[in-house]
């Protein structure tokens, strides 16, 4: 985007520096947006769409910070060392960094999948003027089931049939063992925290929230109802597309990005 | 202790971004270097963060490692729909230049996964600075993909063209098709093949790869149907052209090594091979 | 007459995988992977679709590639599950 700048930044101190990119718009920014990435392989598959979203918003006058949590992406440490409580702390650190670099302007968050849950939860704690949640994950235990099902499919493609037993894997997790989810070690702490407090949840007031469901059809009614319970005045939209965070190829997310940019514009007025 | 730096460099007018892993202080002499080349629609993380883990592992062993996003991918500039294998090859040359401009690095190894492996082969064919290849589930280049490999010219003619191709200005022209296509084609290839321009270019690079004087490690998954043929044809190609090579098959692994055990085996095998390559390069 | 399971499957495949063709253009005996570009990611969408559309639950030992080879094999699998 002409006039915008991308600066590779480090957040924090010591050996656990978070790594990120700050997108600066031309001129004074109108708002600041913190991006919260998804987990597991979704981080890799959604890389380019989130970069393009950040560039679009920067072109529209927003300062945008993308960053990696500890144990994820280019972040320090190994995946199995961290859990949602650590990543919420990372969101706090990144938010603090962004607010210091873009002070006195509205601050908001945009998250994808698990990052959407972190964004929604953080929007209640931080001085957020808005939050955007692209396809937040369902309740933690249900999400683990989704990931286990993905493992079944991948094994089927590799071996002709699945070999693992979801029951056995669940039991391992319940017993406090580390489980290999296709190259991602799920620690007992990660499993416990996911199945405990559901991120992005109950509370009273919340800033303007946009929740976008991405999929071939409308979200299941129960999932929609659960989100409406937690965010009574949120706006809900559906973008009919394949889940781009799961795709092997590249997906054109320009429609989703434009819709989100327009919504943020309205939320600021 | 190793350190990591966010870096960027320019190539063909685009800003490419990445992470440079600096090794702990090593014994005397220039450090060896690895440039990581991701797959077609991937990014510098690699599948299940495999490039991050590998780079940290190799850096701990004394290797300077550069992970970057090709133009149009990840965090680099450039339109996603304009990325081509040739732009990736060009970016790879740019990455090598960046690495060597930072510091004398020797040897330089290209590590590619899937189509990044094909890019690594093609880049090494056209850049004498690449002395080693680590190829994870590498896609076949040009004629190795299914059509018969055309008979090469005499070794002398090939060495002549390989020498010319080692010059940066030659490969830049070739990649931009400014070299008289028919002349080069006629000289290197025994017969014109009525294929698309991209395929012809890959074939030319494959021919140039015959003269590769470095060493290669190929790692494939035993359950990867996509590259079983590639493993067979690369192995035959290396034997026919006296290219020092080693093949390692990870039993039962799929294409992107989707398990901690397979990932560990691929990384450790590669680390051991790199250590031997470094020792060999210092003799 | 109730819609054939094969036709429901074709509609579901086109819709859920955003295939650029009409459901009746899907040939029932053609490989979903080779002819229609279904990959592991798309297969996951298919699995979810099967469970939601047909109210079945795919057990661990039923994740077999032969079930997912063609529309015909999928239909046979669904019929078996639905009894």
């Amino acid at each position: 985007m002409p006039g915008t700048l991308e600066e590779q930044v480090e957040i924090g101190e010591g050996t656990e520096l978070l790594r990120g990119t700050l997108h600066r718009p031309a001129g004074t920014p109108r708002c600041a947006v913190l991006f919260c990435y998804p987990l597991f392989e979704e981080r890799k598959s959604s890389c380019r769409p989130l970069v393009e979203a950040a560039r679009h918003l920067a072109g529209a006058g927003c300062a945008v910070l993308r960053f990696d949590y500890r144990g994820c992406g280019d972040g320090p440490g190994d995946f199995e060392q961290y859990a949602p409580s650590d990543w919420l702390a990372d969101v706090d650190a990144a938010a603090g960094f962004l607010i210091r670099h873009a002070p006195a302007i509205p601050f908001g968050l945009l998250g994808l999948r698990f990052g959407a849950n972190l964004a929604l939860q953080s929007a209640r704690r931080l001085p957020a003027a808005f939050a955007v949640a692209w396809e937040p994950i369902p309740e933690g235990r249900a999400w683990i089931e989704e990931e286990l099902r993905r493992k079944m499919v991948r094994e089927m493609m590799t071996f002709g049939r699945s070999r693992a037993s979801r029951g056995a894997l669940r039991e391992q997790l319940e017993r406090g063992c580390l489980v290999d989810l296709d190259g991602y070690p799920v620690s007992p702490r990660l499993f416990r925290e996911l199945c405990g407090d559901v991120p992005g949840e109950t509370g009273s007031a919340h800033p303007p929230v946009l929740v976008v469901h991405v999929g071939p059809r409308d979200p299941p009614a129960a999932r929609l109802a659960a989100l409406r319970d937690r965010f009574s005045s949120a706006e809900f939209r559906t973008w009919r597309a394949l889940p781009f965070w799961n795709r092997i190829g590249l997906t054109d997310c320009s429609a989703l990005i434009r819709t989100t940019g327009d919504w943020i514009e309205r939320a600021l007025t | 202790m190793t350190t990591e730096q966010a870096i960027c460099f320019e190539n063909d007018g685009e800003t490419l971004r990445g992470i440079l892993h600096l090794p702990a202080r090593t014994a005397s002499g220039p450090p060896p270097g690895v440039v990581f080349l991701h797959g077609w629609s991937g990014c510098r993380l690699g599948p299940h963060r495999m490039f991050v883990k590998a780079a940290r592992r190799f850096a701990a062993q004394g290797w300077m490692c550069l992970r970057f996003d090709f133009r149009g991918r990840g965090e680099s500039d450039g339109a996603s729909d304009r990325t081509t294998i040739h732009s990736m090859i060009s970016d790879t040359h740019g990455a090598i230049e960046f690495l060597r401009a930072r510091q004398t690095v020797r040897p330089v190894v290209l590590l590619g996964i899937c189509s990044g492996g094909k890019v690594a082969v093609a880049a090494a064919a056209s850049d004498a600075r690449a002395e080693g290849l680590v190829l994870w589930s590498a896609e076949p280049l040009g004629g190795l993909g299914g059509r018969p490999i055309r008979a090469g010219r005499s070794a002398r003619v090939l060495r002549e063209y390989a020498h010319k191709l080692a010059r940066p200005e030659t490969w830049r022209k070739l990649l931009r098709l400014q070299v008289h296509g028919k002349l080069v084609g006629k000289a290197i290839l025994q017969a014109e093949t009525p294929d698309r321009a991209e395929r012809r270019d890959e074939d030319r690079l494959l021919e140039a790869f015959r003269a590769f004087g470095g060493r290669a490690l190929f790692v494939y998954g035993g359950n990867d149907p996509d590259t079983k043929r590639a493993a067979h044809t690369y192995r035959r190609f290396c034997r026919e052209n006296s290219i020092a090579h080693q093949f390692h098959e990870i039993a039962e692994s799929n294409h992107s090594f989707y398990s901690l055990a397979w990932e560990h085996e691929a990384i450790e095998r590669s680390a051991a091979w790199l250590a031997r390559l470094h020792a060999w390069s210092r003799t | 007459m109730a819609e054939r399971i094969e036709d429901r499957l074709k509609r579901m495949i086109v819709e859920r995988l955003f295939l650029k063709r009409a459901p009746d253009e899907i040939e029932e005996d053609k490989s979903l992977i080779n002819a229609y570009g279904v990959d592991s990611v798309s297969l996951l969408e298919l699995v979810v679709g099967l469970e939601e559309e047909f109210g079945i639950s795919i057990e661990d030992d039923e994740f077999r590639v032969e079930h997912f080879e063609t529309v015909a094999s999928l239909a046979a699998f669904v019929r078996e599950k639905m009894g």
Side-chain angles (χ1 to χ4, degrees):
Chain A
M1 290 282 176
T4 62
L5 283 175
E6 290 180 33
E7 184 187 343
Q8 291 157 305
V9 298
E10 291 174 341
I11 302 161
E13 294 171 359
T15 56
E16 289 200 323
L17 283 177
L18 301 178
R19 202 169 289 290
T21 299
L22 179 60
H23 297 252
R24 294 184 188 275
T28 306
R30 298 186 298 116
C31 71
V33 188
L34 179 66
F35 276 25
C36 299
Y37 274 119
L39 289 189
F40 299 113
E41 204 69 335
E42 297 177 1
R43 162 69 180 88
K44 170 176 160 282
S45 299
S46 62
C47 182
R48 189 65 180 186
L50 286 172
V51 167
E52 288 173 353
R55 288 174 178 167
H56 176 86
L57 292 177
C62 305
V64 181
L65 177 62
R66 295 182 291 103
F67 78 103
D68 275 312
Y69 318 118
R70 285 171 287 172
C72 304
D74 287 322
D78 299 319
F79 185 75
E80 61 269 30
Q81 294 174 270
Y82 305 102
S85 53
D86 300 308
W87 297 322
L88 268 175
D90 293 343
V91 170
D92 284 354
F97 178 93
L98 180 58
I99 290 169
R100 282 192 299 279
H101 280 75
I105 55 173
F107 162 79
L109 302 108
L110 184 155
L112 171 64
R113 294 283 287 161
F114 181 76
N117 298 65
L118 292 181
L120 291 175
Q121 188 170 10
S122 300
R124 280 202 156 100
R125 293 179 299 102
L126 298 171
F130 60 87
V132 176
W134 289 349
E135 190 63 19
I137 63 162
E139 177 268 333
R141 200 175 281 271
W143 186 38
I144 290 287
E145 286 303 313
E146 280 183 13
E147 293 301 308
L148 291 177
R149 187 159 53 185
R150 190 191 315 281
K151 185 176 175 64
M152 298 291 107
V153 170
R154 193 164 269 149
E155 286 196 350
M156 179 175 71
M157 295 297 280
T158 301
F159 303 120
R161 57 185 299 175
S162 65
R163 289 182 176 179
S165 145
R166 280 175 288 182
L169 290 171
R170 268 183 234 112
E171 197 188 338
Q172 274 183 266
L173 287 166
E174 301 277 6
R175 273 193 288 116
C177 301
L178 194 125
V179 164
D180 176 8
L181 267 193
D182 296 341
Y184 288 92
V186 176
S187 69
R189 189 161 71 96
L190 168 57
F191 179 66
R192 257 194 330 269
E193 289 193 15
L194 274 182
C195 296
D197 254 348
V198 186
E201 309 335 315
T202 54
S204 48
H206 61 80
V209 166
L210 171 68
V211 179
V212 182
H213 167 68
V214 180
R217 42 174 62 184
D218 288 333
R223 191 182 289 194
L224 200 57
L227 279 167
R228 284 191 195 281
D229 274 345
R230 296 170 202 137
F231 294 93
S232 52
S233 58
E235 193 174 328
F236 292 83
R237 304 263 186 96
T238 292
W239 182 48
R240 292 193 195 283
L242 277 170
F244 59 89
W245 55 87
N246 274 339
R247 304 297 294 159
I248 294 169
L250 297 165
T251 306
D252 178 3
C253 296
S254 48
L256 172 65
I257 293 169
R258 272 196 311 273
T259 299
T260 299
D262 292 345
W263 183 89
I264 292 174
E265 181 80 38
R266 287 196 302 278
L268 291 175
T269 56
Chain B
M1 184 168 158
T2 66
T3 55
E4 295 171 23
Q5 292 176 358
I7 56 91
C8 61
F9 59 95
E10 302 294 311
N11 191 56
D12 275 352
E14 303 284 15
T15 300
L16 307 183
R17 297 180 179 85
I19 303 289
L20 186 64
H21 297 252
L22 298 167
R25 186 173 291 279
T26 55
S28 62
V34 180
V35 178
F36 286 75
L37 308 176
H38 64 73
W40 179 250
S41 55
C43 71
R44 69 184 187 236
L45 300 178
H48 48 96
R49 222 179 165 219
M50 196 170 172
F51 276 11
V52 179
K53 295 180 221 180
R56 289 175 178 171
R57 170 73 177 87
F58 302 158
Q61 193 170 282
W63 289 69
M64 182 174 288
C65 297
L66 173 59
R67 294 184 293 112
F68 76 101
D69 297 311
F70 288 116
R71 75 181 82 166
R73 300 292 184 266
E75 303 192 340
S76 290
D77 286 355
S80 301
D81 58 358
R82 298 184 67 183
T83 305
T84 63
I85 290 294
H86 283 289
S87 71
M88 289 177 161
I89 296 168
S90 171
D91 290 347
T92 302
H93 290 301
I96 297 173
E97 282 180 25
F98 168 80
L99 198 62
R100 288 170 61 104
R102 286 282 297 227
Q103 157 159 28
T104 302
V105 176
R106 187 152 192 250
V108 172
V109 171
L110 303 179
L111 185 155
I113 190 166
C114 194
S115 69
K118 176 163 77 169
V119 169
V121 171
S126 48
D127 192 332
R129 295 171 296 182
E131 296 181 65
L133 293 168
V134 174
L135 304 167
W136 293 348
S137 304
E139 271 185 17
L141 178 68
L144 293 179
R147 293 176 299 108
I149 302 169
R150 272 129 339 127
R153 300 282 291 188
S154 71
R156 184 184 61 80
V157 172
L158 278 173
R159 276 196 297 274
E160 262 181 50
Y161 271 88
H163 177 65
K164 284 183 183 173
L165 280 167
R167 283 193 245 135
E169 68 265 24
T170 307
W171 57 257
R172 285 195 189 103
K173 282 183 186 172
L174 182 63
L175 291 170
R176 293 189 186 125
L177 298 179
Q178 287 172 11
V179 173
H180 193 301
K182 280 185 182 173
L183 186 64
V184 175
K186 190 177 175 184
I188 288 180
L189 306 169
Q190 287 217 334
E192 283 281 3
T193 305
D195 288 313
R196 296 180 308 155
E198 284 179 347
R199 196 66 179 214
R200 276 203 300 273
D201 292 340
E202 283 196 22
D203 285 338
R204 286 178 196 135
L205 288 162
L206 182 64
E207 291 294 336
F209 186 59
R210 290 179 187 275
F212 177 63
R215 293 168 181 237
L217 169 69
F218 294 82
V219 181
Y220 284 101
N223 267 326
D224 179 4
D226 289 348
T227 46
K228 271 225 188 304
R229 185 193 155 85
H232 172 71
T233 51
Y234 269 129
R235 198 195 299 250
R236 187 177 62 196
F237 185 92
C238 288
R239 281 192 196 129
E240 285 173 356
N241 294 283
S242 304
I243 295 171
H245 66 283
Q246 192 179 323
F247 271 79
H248 180 71
E249 182 175 298
I250 298 178
E252 300 205 314
S253 171
N254 52 27
H255 181 75
S256 296
F257 315 106
Y258 274 114
S259 90
L260 292 173
W262 298 335
E263 166 194 281
H264 179 81
E265 185 171 343
I267 292 173
E268 289 307 309
R269 275 281 172 167
S270 303
W273 184 89
L274 288 171
R276 288 195 298 277
L277 180 75
H278 189 206
W280 171 79
S281 75
R282 294 170 78 171
T283 56
Chain C
M1 191 162 103
E3 191 181 13
R4 290 170 71 232
I5 286 178
E6 286 82 352
D7 293 330
R8 286 174 67 187
L9 283 169
K10 290 186 219 179
R11 269 195 301 104
M12 184 194 83
I13 288 167
V14 166
E15 183 190 43
R16 284 193 178 251
L17 306 191
F18 290 87
L19 293 189
K20 288 180 170 52
R21 55 181 82 214
D24 57 14
E25 291 174 23
I26 307 269
E27 294 180 44
E28 292 173 17
D29 289 317
K30 267 204 167 156
S31 163
L32 288 170
I33 293 168
N34 295 330
Y36 301 108
V38 170
D39 57 21
S40 61
V41 171
S42 311
L43 270 178
L44 185 59
E45 287 296 324
L46 267 189
V47 165
V48 171
L50 284 178
E51 294 189 339
E52 288 181 1
E53 295 271 343
F54 297 94
I56 60 176
S57 174
I58 301 176
E59 303 304 319
D60 290 347
D61 63 354
E62 291 172 334
F63 281 91
R64 297 178 187 218
V65 76
E66 54 263 31
H67 288 146
F68 294 86
E69 277 193 81
T70 64
V71 169
S73 62
L74 256 184
F77 173 60
V78 169
R79 283 196 177 91
E80 187 188 318
K81 289 290 294 183
M82 290 172 73

